[in-house]
Protein backbone atom coordinates (compact mmCIF):
# COMPACT_ATOMS: atom_id res chain seq x y z
CA UNK A 1 0.00 0.00 0.00
CA UNK A 2 1.47 3.34 -1.09
CA UNK A 3 1.13 6.40 1.12
CA UNK A 4 0.63 9.74 -0.62
CA UNK A 5 0.64 12.97 1.34
CA UNK A 6 -1.81 15.74 0.41
CA UNK A 7 -1.95 19.25 1.80
CA UNK A 8 -4.21 21.95 0.35
CA UNK A 9 -3.93 25.69 0.90
CA UNK A 10 -7.69 26.34 0.57
CA UNK A 11 -7.34 30.10 0.03
CA UNK A 12 -4.66 29.87 -2.67
CA UNK A 13 -5.54 31.79 -5.83
CA UNK A 14 -8.57 33.56 -4.40
CA UNK A 15 -7.08 36.97 -5.13
CA UNK A 16 -6.49 36.26 -8.81
CA UNK A 17 -9.85 36.88 -10.45
CA UNK A 18 -10.52 39.95 -8.34
CA UNK A 19 -7.18 41.49 -9.33
CA UNK A 20 -5.39 41.31 -5.96
CA UNK A 21 -2.30 39.42 -7.22
CA UNK A 22 -2.27 37.01 -4.30
CA UNK A 23 -3.85 36.24 -0.92
CA UNK A 24 -0.91 36.56 1.47
CA UNK A 25 -2.22 38.01 4.73
CA UNK A 26 -5.67 37.96 6.36
CA UNK A 27 -6.45 41.56 5.33
CA UNK A 28 -5.96 40.68 1.65
CA UNK A 29 -8.03 37.51 2.04
CA UNK A 30 -10.86 39.51 3.62
CA UNK A 31 -10.69 42.03 0.80
CA UNK A 32 -10.81 39.23 -1.78
CA UNK A 33 -13.93 37.79 -0.13
CA UNK A 34 -15.60 41.22 -0.07
CA UNK A 35 -14.89 41.50 -3.80
CA UNK A 36 -16.63 38.20 -4.44
CA UNK A 37 -13.66 35.81 -4.60
CA UNK A 38 -14.36 32.10 -4.20
CA UNK A 39 -11.95 29.24 -3.45
CA UNK A 40 -10.02 27.90 -6.44
CA UNK A 41 -7.83 25.25 -4.80
CA UNK A 42 -10.46 22.56 -4.01
CA UNK A 43 -11.55 22.12 -7.63
CA UNK A 44 -7.93 22.00 -8.80
CA UNK A 45 -7.15 19.37 -6.19
CA UNK A 46 -10.00 17.21 -7.47
CA UNK A 47 -8.69 17.48 -11.03
CA UNK A 48 -5.33 16.12 -9.92
CA UNK A 49 -6.77 13.36 -7.71
CA UNK A 50 -8.98 12.18 -10.55
CA UNK A 51 -5.84 11.05 -12.38
CA UNK A 52 -4.99 8.76 -9.43
CA UNK A 53 -8.33 6.92 -9.48
CA UNK A 54 -6.88 3.92 -11.41
CA UNK A 55 -4.75 3.09 -8.34
CA UNK A 56 -7.19 4.29 -5.66
CA UNK A 57 -7.40 0.84 -4.02
CA UNK A 58 -3.62 0.79 -3.60
CA UNK A 59 -3.30 4.21 -1.97
CA UNK A 60 -3.81 5.83 1.41
CA UNK A 61 -3.95 9.62 1.36
CA UNK A 62 -2.21 11.04 4.43
CA UNK A 63 -3.69 14.49 4.83
CA UNK A 64 -5.11 17.26 7.02
CA UNK A 65 -8.66 17.82 8.22
CA UNK A 66 -11.48 19.53 6.35
CA UNK A 67 -10.63 21.70 3.38
CA UNK A 68 -6.89 21.15 3.79
CA UNK A 69 -7.20 17.82 1.96
CA UNK A 70 -9.62 15.51 3.76
CA UNK A 71 -12.73 16.72 1.95
CA UNK A 72 -11.20 16.47 -1.51
CA UNK A 73 -9.66 13.02 -0.95
CA UNK A 74 -12.79 11.52 0.58
CA UNK A 75 -15.01 13.06 -2.10
CA UNK A 76 -13.01 11.04 -4.63
CA UNK A 77 -13.34 7.85 -2.56
CA UNK A 78 -9.76 7.57 -1.30
CA UNK A 79 -8.87 6.07 2.05
CA UNK A 80 -7.49 8.78 4.30
CA UNK A 81 -5.32 9.11 7.38
CA UNK A 82 -5.87 12.50 9.03
CA UNK A 83 -2.72 13.56 10.88
CA UNK A 84 -3.35 17.27 11.46
CA UNK A 85 -6.42 19.36 12.30
CA UNK A 86 -6.49 23.14 12.02
CA UNK A 87 -7.77 24.94 15.10
CA UNK A 88 -9.02 27.91 13.04
CA UNK A 89 -11.84 28.01 10.45
CA UNK A 90 -9.55 29.98 8.11
CA UNK A 91 -6.18 28.29 7.69
CA UNK A 92 -2.86 30.11 7.47
CA UNK A 93 0.75 29.40 6.59
CA UNK A 94 1.40 27.99 10.07
CA UNK A 95 -1.24 25.32 9.42
CA UNK A 96 0.48 24.44 6.15
CA UNK A 97 3.86 24.11 7.87
CA UNK A 98 2.55 22.04 10.77
CA UNK A 99 0.44 19.84 8.51
CA UNK A 100 3.27 19.20 6.09
CA UNK A 101 5.58 18.24 8.96
CA UNK A 102 3.04 15.77 10.34
CA UNK A 103 2.56 14.23 6.89
CA UNK A 104 6.32 13.93 6.33
CA UNK A 105 6.68 12.14 9.66
CA UNK A 106 4.31 9.43 8.39
CA UNK A 107 6.88 8.37 5.80
CA UNK A 108 4.82 9.13 2.69
CA UNK A 109 6.22 8.23 -0.73
CA UNK A 110 5.25 11.59 -2.22
CA UNK A 111 3.78 14.74 -0.68
CA UNK A 112 1.46 16.61 -3.03
CA UNK A 113 0.75 20.22 -2.09
CA UNK A 114 -1.76 22.65 -3.59
CA UNK A 115 -1.12 26.39 -3.67
CA UNK A 116 1.22 29.04 -5.02
CA UNK A 117 4.73 30.30 -4.33
CA UNK A 118 3.87 31.17 -0.73
CA UNK A 119 2.77 27.57 -0.15
CA UNK A 120 6.01 26.29 -1.67
CA UNK A 121 7.89 28.50 0.80
CA UNK A 122 5.90 26.98 3.67
CA UNK A 123 6.77 23.47 2.46
CA UNK A 124 10.45 24.35 2.26
CA UNK A 125 10.46 25.82 5.76
CA UNK A 126 8.65 22.77 7.11
CA UNK A 127 10.22 19.74 5.38
CA UNK A 128 13.16 21.20 3.43
CA UNK A 129 14.62 18.75 0.93
CA UNK A 130 14.05 15.66 3.09
CA UNK A 131 10.71 14.83 1.48
CA UNK A 132 9.88 14.28 -2.19
CA UNK A 133 7.11 16.74 -3.07
CA UNK A 134 5.05 17.84 -6.07
CA UNK A 135 3.12 21.09 -6.45
CA UNK A 136 -0.38 21.47 -7.91
CA UNK A 137 -0.63 25.07 -9.19
CA UNK A 138 -3.53 26.95 -7.60
CA UNK A 139 -2.02 30.29 -6.58
CA UNK A 140 -1.82 33.62 -8.36
CA UNK A 141 2.00 33.62 -8.24
CA UNK A 142 3.65 30.54 -9.73
CA UNK A 143 7.32 31.36 -10.25
CA UNK A 144 8.83 28.27 -8.60
CA UNK A 145 9.60 25.28 -10.86
CA UNK A 146 8.38 22.84 -8.20
CA UNK A 147 4.89 22.91 -9.74
CA UNK A 148 3.45 20.85 -12.53
CA UNK A 149 2.07 22.80 -15.49
CA UNK A 150 -1.55 22.09 -14.52
CA UNK A 151 -3.46 20.15 -11.84
CA UNK A 152 -4.10 17.41 -14.40
CA UNK A 153 -0.40 17.17 -15.25
CA UNK A 154 0.40 16.95 -11.53
CA UNK A 155 -2.00 14.02 -11.20
CA UNK A 156 -0.54 12.27 -14.23
CA UNK A 157 3.01 12.70 -12.94
CA UNK A 158 2.02 11.44 -9.48
CA UNK A 159 0.40 8.39 -11.08
CA UNK A 160 3.58 7.59 -13.01
CA UNK A 161 5.62 7.91 -9.85
CA UNK A 162 3.44 5.74 -7.61
CA UNK A 163 3.18 3.03 -10.29
CA UNK A 164 6.95 2.65 -10.33
CA UNK A 165 8.07 4.62 -13.39
CA UNK A 166 11.73 5.56 -13.09
CA UNK A 167 12.21 9.29 -13.24
CA UNK A 168 14.76 11.91 -12.34
CA UNK A 169 14.48 13.47 -8.90
CA UNK A 170 16.02 16.92 -8.60
CA UNK A 171 16.19 19.84 -6.20
CA UNK A 172 14.36 22.81 -7.72
CA UNK A 173 14.22 26.43 -6.60
CA UNK A 174 11.59 27.88 -4.30
CA UNK A 175 11.17 31.48 -5.45
CA UNK A 176 8.61 33.97 -4.18
CA UNK A 177 7.71 37.53 -4.98
CA UNK A 178 6.95 40.37 -2.57
CA UNK A 179 3.15 40.77 -2.87
CA UNK A 180 3.06 44.32 -1.52
CA UNK A 181 5.64 45.43 -4.09
CA UNK A 182 3.81 43.32 -6.73
CA UNK A 183 0.63 45.33 -6.15
CA UNK A 184 2.66 48.49 -6.85
CA UNK A 185 3.94 46.99 -10.14
CA UNK A 186 7.40 46.24 -8.75
CA UNK A 187 8.89 42.77 -9.16
CA UNK A 188 11.04 41.72 -6.22
CA UNK A 189 11.82 38.03 -6.22
CA UNK A 190 13.90 36.08 -3.73
CA UNK A 191 15.31 32.56 -3.63
CA UNK A 192 14.25 30.87 -0.38
CA UNK A 193 15.62 27.36 -0.84
CA UNK A 194 15.09 24.10 -2.72
CA UNK A 195 12.51 21.33 -2.75
CA UNK A 196 13.07 17.81 -4.05
CA UNK A 197 10.66 17.02 -6.90
CA UNK A 198 10.21 14.34 -9.59
CA UNK A 199 11.21 15.92 -12.88
CA UNK A 200 9.70 15.38 -16.31
CA UNK A 201 9.74 18.25 -18.81
CA UNK A 202 6.37 17.15 -20.23
CA UNK A 203 4.72 17.78 -16.88
CA UNK A 204 6.73 20.36 -14.94
CA UNK A 205 6.88 24.10 -15.57
CA UNK A 206 10.08 26.07 -16.15
CA UNK A 207 11.34 28.77 -13.87
CA UNK A 208 9.95 32.13 -14.94
CA UNK A 209 12.57 34.20 -16.75
CA UNK A 210 12.73 38.01 -16.89
CA UNK A 211 12.64 39.90 -20.18
CA UNK A 212 16.08 41.31 -21.12
CA UNK A 213 16.32 45.09 -21.37
CA UNK A 214 17.73 44.92 -24.92
CA UNK A 215 14.31 43.83 -26.15
CA UNK A 216 12.81 47.27 -25.54
CA UNK A 217 13.19 48.34 -29.19
CA UNK A 218 11.27 45.29 -30.41
CA UNK A 219 8.58 45.83 -27.79
CA UNK A 220 8.14 49.45 -28.91
CA UNK A 221 7.78 48.36 -32.55
CA UNK A 222 5.12 45.79 -31.62
CA UNK A 223 3.31 48.41 -29.54
CA UNK A 224 3.22 50.92 -32.40
CA UNK A 225 1.77 48.26 -34.71
CA UNK A 226 -1.02 47.57 -32.20
CA UNK A 227 -1.77 51.25 -31.58
CA UNK A 228 -1.81 52.13 -35.30
CA UNK A 229 -4.42 49.46 -35.98
CA UNK A 230 -6.78 49.88 -33.02
CA UNK A 231 -10.46 49.80 -33.97
CA UNK A 232 -12.81 52.59 -32.93
CA UNK A 233 -15.30 51.93 -30.11
CA UNK A 234 -13.66 48.58 -29.32
CA UNK A 235 -12.69 47.55 -25.83
CA UNK A 236 -9.03 46.43 -25.69
CA UNK A 237 -8.15 44.23 -22.72
CA UNK A 238 -4.41 44.38 -22.22
CA UNK A 239 -2.86 41.59 -20.18
CA UNK A 240 0.20 41.81 -17.94
CA UNK A 241 3.80 41.78 -19.14
CA UNK A 242 6.60 44.00 -20.38
CA UNK A 243 5.65 43.58 -24.04
CA UNK A 244 2.05 44.62 -23.39
CA UNK A 245 3.23 47.43 -21.11
CA UNK A 246 4.89 49.00 -24.17
CA UNK A 247 1.40 49.39 -25.69
CA UNK A 248 0.24 51.47 -22.72
CA UNK A 249 3.43 53.52 -22.91
CA UNK A 250 2.90 54.14 -26.63
CA UNK A 251 -0.58 55.43 -25.78
CA UNK A 252 0.88 57.58 -22.96
CA UNK A 253 -1.56 55.99 -20.53
CA UNK A 254 -1.09 54.91 -16.90
CA UNK A 255 -0.82 51.15 -16.59
CA UNK A 256 -0.25 48.20 -14.28
CA UNK A 257 2.71 46.07 -15.31
CA UNK A 258 1.37 43.07 -13.43
CA UNK A 259 -2.37 43.61 -13.76
CA UNK A 260 -4.96 43.85 -16.55
CA UNK A 261 -5.92 47.23 -18.04
CA UNK A 262 -8.78 48.22 -20.36
CA UNK A 263 -8.53 50.79 -23.16
CA UNK A 264 -11.07 52.18 -25.63
CA UNK A 265 -10.54 54.85 -28.30
CA UNK A 266 -6.97 55.20 -27.01
CA UNK A 267 -8.19 56.25 -23.57
CA UNK A 268 -7.90 54.32 -20.31
CA UNK A 269 -11.27 52.92 -19.25
CA UNK A 270 -10.01 51.24 -16.10
CA UNK A 271 -6.69 50.15 -14.67
CA UNK A 272 -6.00 46.86 -12.85
CA UNK A 273 -9.42 45.29 -13.40
CA UNK A 274 -11.07 42.22 -11.90
CA UNK A 275 -12.95 39.39 -13.64
CA UNK A 276 -16.23 41.10 -12.73
CA UNK A 277 -15.06 44.32 -14.42
CA UNK A 278 -14.07 42.44 -17.55
CA UNK A 279 -17.38 40.63 -17.82
CA UNK A 280 -19.13 43.99 -17.53
CA UNK A 281 -17.09 45.44 -20.41
CA UNK A 282 -17.23 42.44 -22.77
CA UNK A 283 -21.00 42.23 -22.33
CA UNK A 284 -21.35 45.89 -23.41
CA UNK A 285 -18.73 46.42 -26.14
CA UNK A 286 -16.96 44.62 -28.97
CA UNK A 287 -13.74 43.46 -27.31
CA UNK A 288 -10.25 42.28 -28.16
CA UNK A 289 -7.75 40.61 -25.85
CA UNK A 290 -4.01 41.28 -26.10
CA UNK A 291 -1.75 38.69 -24.48
CA UNK A 292 1.97 37.99 -24.24
CA UNK A 293 3.58 34.76 -22.98
CA UNK A 294 5.21 34.76 -19.56
CA UNK A 295 8.97 34.54 -19.87
CA UNK A 296 10.39 31.02 -19.81
CA UNK A 297 7.03 29.34 -19.20
CA UNK A 298 5.08 30.12 -22.37
CA UNK A 299 1.73 30.63 -20.63
CA UNK A 300 -0.75 33.00 -22.29
CA UNK A 301 -3.53 32.36 -19.76
CA UNK A 302 -3.46 30.85 -16.29
CA UNK A 303 -0.35 32.45 -14.81
CA UNK A 304 -0.79 35.83 -13.11
CA UNK A 305 -3.83 36.83 -15.20
CA UNK A 306 -6.66 34.79 -13.68
CA UNK A 307 -8.91 37.83 -14.06
CA UNK A 308 -9.13 36.80 -17.72
CA UNK A 309 -11.24 33.76 -16.90
CA UNK A 310 -12.74 31.15 -19.18
CA UNK A 311 -16.05 33.00 -19.11
CA UNK A 312 -14.36 36.24 -20.19
CA UNK A 313 -12.53 34.48 -23.03
CA UNK A 314 -15.76 32.84 -24.26
CA UNK A 315 -17.42 36.24 -24.50
CA UNK A 316 -14.46 37.74 -26.39
CA UNK A 317 -14.03 34.85 -28.83
CA UNK A 318 -10.91 33.15 -30.14
CA UNK A 319 -10.87 35.32 -33.26
CA UNK A 320 -10.43 38.46 -31.12
CA UNK A 321 -7.29 37.35 -29.32
CA UNK A 322 -4.07 39.15 -30.29
CA UNK A 323 -0.77 37.57 -29.23
CA UNK A 324 2.36 39.71 -29.04
CA UNK A 325 5.87 38.48 -28.29
CA UNK A 326 9.50 39.27 -28.91
CA UNK A 327 11.39 36.73 -31.00
CA UNK A 328 13.63 35.82 -28.09
CA UNK A 329 10.67 34.64 -25.99
CA UNK A 330 9.56 32.37 -28.81
CA UNK A 331 13.11 31.04 -29.24
CA UNK A 332 13.28 30.29 -25.49
CA UNK A 333 10.36 27.89 -25.92
CA UNK A 334 12.49 25.66 -28.20
CA UNK A 335 9.53 24.62 -30.29
CA UNK A 336 7.20 23.95 -27.37
CA UNK A 337 3.73 25.45 -27.84
CA UNK A 338 2.30 28.45 -26.05
CA UNK A 339 -0.01 27.31 -23.26
CA UNK A 340 -3.46 28.17 -21.92
CA UNK A 341 -5.14 27.00 -18.75
CA UNK A 342 -8.29 28.88 -17.82
CA UNK A 343 -9.68 26.06 -15.67
CA UNK A 344 -12.53 25.62 -18.16
CA UNK A 345 -11.67 22.57 -20.26
CA UNK A 346 -14.05 23.47 -23.09
CA UNK A 347 -12.58 26.95 -23.39
CA UNK A 348 -9.02 25.60 -23.33
CA UNK A 349 -9.87 23.13 -26.11
CA UNK A 350 -11.47 25.96 -28.11
CA UNK A 351 -8.28 28.01 -27.83
CA UNK A 352 -6.02 25.30 -29.27
CA UNK A 353 -4.57 25.88 -32.72
CA UNK A 354 -2.24 28.15 -34.63
CA UNK A 355 -2.20 31.93 -34.20
CA UNK A 356 -0.47 34.86 -35.83
CA UNK A 357 1.96 36.25 -33.26
CA UNK A 358 3.07 39.86 -33.70
CA UNK A 359 6.88 39.94 -33.34
CA UNK A 360 7.58 43.42 -34.76
CA UNK A 361 5.97 46.25 -36.73
CA UNK A 362 4.17 44.53 -39.61
CA UNK A 363 5.92 41.27 -38.73
CA UNK A 364 4.08 38.10 -37.73
CA UNK A 365 4.82 34.42 -37.31
CA UNK A 366 2.53 31.42 -36.94
CA UNK A 367 2.80 29.60 -33.63
CA UNK A 368 0.86 26.86 -31.93
CA UNK A 369 -1.21 27.09 -28.75
CA UNK A 370 -2.04 24.04 -26.65
CA UNK A 371 -3.74 23.37 -23.34
CA UNK A 372 -1.44 23.56 -20.33
Amino acid sequence: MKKIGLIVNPIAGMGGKVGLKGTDGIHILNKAVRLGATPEAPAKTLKALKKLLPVRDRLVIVTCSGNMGQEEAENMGFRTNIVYSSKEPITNSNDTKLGAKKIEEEGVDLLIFVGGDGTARDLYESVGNKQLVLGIPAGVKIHSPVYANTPEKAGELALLYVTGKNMVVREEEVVDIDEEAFRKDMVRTQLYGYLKVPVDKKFMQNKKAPTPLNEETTQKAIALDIVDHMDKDTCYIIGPGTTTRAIMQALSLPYTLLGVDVVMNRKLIKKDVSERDLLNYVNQYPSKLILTPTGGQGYLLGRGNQQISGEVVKKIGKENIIIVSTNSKIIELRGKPLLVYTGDEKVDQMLKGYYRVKVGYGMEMMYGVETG
Side-chain angles (χ1 to χ4, degrees):
M1 186 71 67
K2 291 273 189 181
K3 290 195 288 186
I4 297 294
L6 172 67
I7 189 161
V8 180
N9 176 359
I11 66 170
M14 284 183 64
K17 288 185 178 180
V18 294
L20 294 183
K21 307 178 181 70
T23 41
D24 290 356
I26 189 66
H27 64 294
I28 295 297
L29 173 61
N30 289 337
K31 184 176 181 180
V33 172
R34 289 197 302 272
L35 291 170
T38 55
E40 301 278 329
K44 291 179 178 179
T45 306
L46 293 175
K47 288 179 178 181
L49 290 177
K50 186 176 180 181
K51 300 295 182 179
L52 289 170
L53 288 177
V55 293
R56 179 172 55 190
D57 294 339
R58 289 181 272 159
L59 293 181
V60 173
I61 304 292
V62 182
T63 188
C64 304
S65 64
N67 59 4
M68 288 187 71
Q70 178 184 8
E71 293 174 0
E72 292 84 350
E74 293 182 356
N75 282 344
M76 298 297 287
F78 287 94
R79 279 174 282 189
T80 58
N81 176 17
I82 311 304
V83 296
Y84 176 78
S85 296
S86 172
K87 295 180 176 61
E88 301 295 334
I90 298 176
T91 64
N92 55 40
S93 65
N94 197 47
D95 289 307
T96 301
K97 293 172 190 175
L98 291 172
K101 184 64 178 172
K102 290 288 187 182
I103 293 170
E104 183 262 331
E105 289 172 353
E106 291 292 314
V108 295
D109 298 283
L110 175 68
L111 198 172
I112 299 171
F113 65 96
V114 188
D117 287 329
T119 313
R121 281 176 57 185
D122 293 338
L123 264 289
Y124 168 71
E125 291 177 22
S126 179
V127 304
N129 61 2
K130 295 183 295 182
Q131 172 69 56
L132 186 67
V133 303
L134 174 61
I136 296 175
V140 176
K141 301 169 286 136
I142 308 285
H143 290 71
S144 305
V146 298
Y147 285 96
N149 278 320
T150 67
E152 293 87 346
K153 293 293 186 186
E156 290 172 20
L157 184 56
L159 178 63
L160 289 174
Y161 183 78
V162 300
T163 53
K165 178 177 172 59
N166 290 326
M167 59 181 61
V168 176
V169 171
R170 190 164 65 208
E171 290 185 346
E172 292 285 10
E173 296 177 349
V174 175
V175 181
D176 199 5
I177 196 166
D178 183 331
E179 278 195 13
E180 290 302 319
F182 195 41
R183 292 187 184 98
K184 298 173 184 174
D185 287 340
M186 295 181 286
V187 181
R188 295 176 184 163
T189 57
Q190 182 177 337
L191 172 64
Y192 286 87
Y194 297 85
L195 286 171
K196 189 165 63 175
V197 297
V199 175
D200 189 312
K201 290 183 179 179
K202 293 183 296 183
F203 299 98
M204 300 294 285
Q205 73 169 37
N206 296 326
K207 179 183 175 183
K208 188 172 181 182
T211 302
L213 291 176
N214 60 12
E215 294 192 349
E216 286 184 9
T217 301
T218 303
Q219 291 170 342
K220 287 177 181 177
I222 293 169
L224 289 173
D225 191 342
I226 294 290
V227 170
D228 287 349
H229 296 92
M230 280 185 159
D231 296 332
K232 187 179 179 182
D233 298 330
T234 296
C235 181
Y236 283 85
I237 298 163
I238 301 178
T242 53
T243 306
T244 44
R245 173 185 63 183
I247 298 168
M248 301 299 287
Q249 291 172 332
L251 290 165
S252 299
L253 295 175
Y255 58 86
T256 48
L257 172 62
L258 302 166
V260 178
D261 303 321
V262 179
V263 171
M264 184 184 289
N265 296 326
R266 304 192 180 191
K267 295 180 180 179
L268 181 69
I269 300 300
K270 190 170 183 179
K271 190 172 75 164
D272 204 9
V273 296
S274 67
E275 179 197 30
R276 185 181 298 172
D277 294 325
L278 291 176
L279 287 170
N280 181 46
Y281 294 130
V282 299
N283 281 322
Q284 291 186 66
Y285 308 107
S287 300
K288 294 192 177 184
L289 173 60
I290 303 177
L291 299 170
T292 191
T294 56
Q297 297 176 341
Y299 270 89
L300 292 172
L301 291 166
R303 290 292 187 272
N305 57 7
Q306 287 93 336
Q307 307 96 311
I308 308 170
S309 65
E311 190 175 355
V312 171
V313 174
K314 264 192 297 189
K315 296 283 187 180
I316 294 169
K318 178 179 179 178
E319 68 280 4
N320 292 313
I321 295 175
I322 301 168
I323 302 173
V324 298
S325 175
T326 58
N327 268 310
S328 63
K329 275 192 177 181
I330 299 297
I331 291 169
E332 281 175 9
L333 294 172
R334 298 178 182 177
K336 293 186 292 186
L338 296 169
L339 301 172
V340 292
Y341 187 81
T342 65
D344 185 321
E345 188 175 345
K346 289 183 179 178
V347 172
D348 292 344
Q349 289 295 323
M350 174 194 77
L351 291 173
K352 287 171 61 175
Y354 281 85
Y355 291 73
R356 294 182 181 276
V357 179
K358 289 187 180 293
V359 294
Y361 194 99
M363 299 173 62
E364 296 179 333
M365 65 183 299
M366 297 298 292
Y367 207 85
V369 172
E370 290 287 342
T371 57

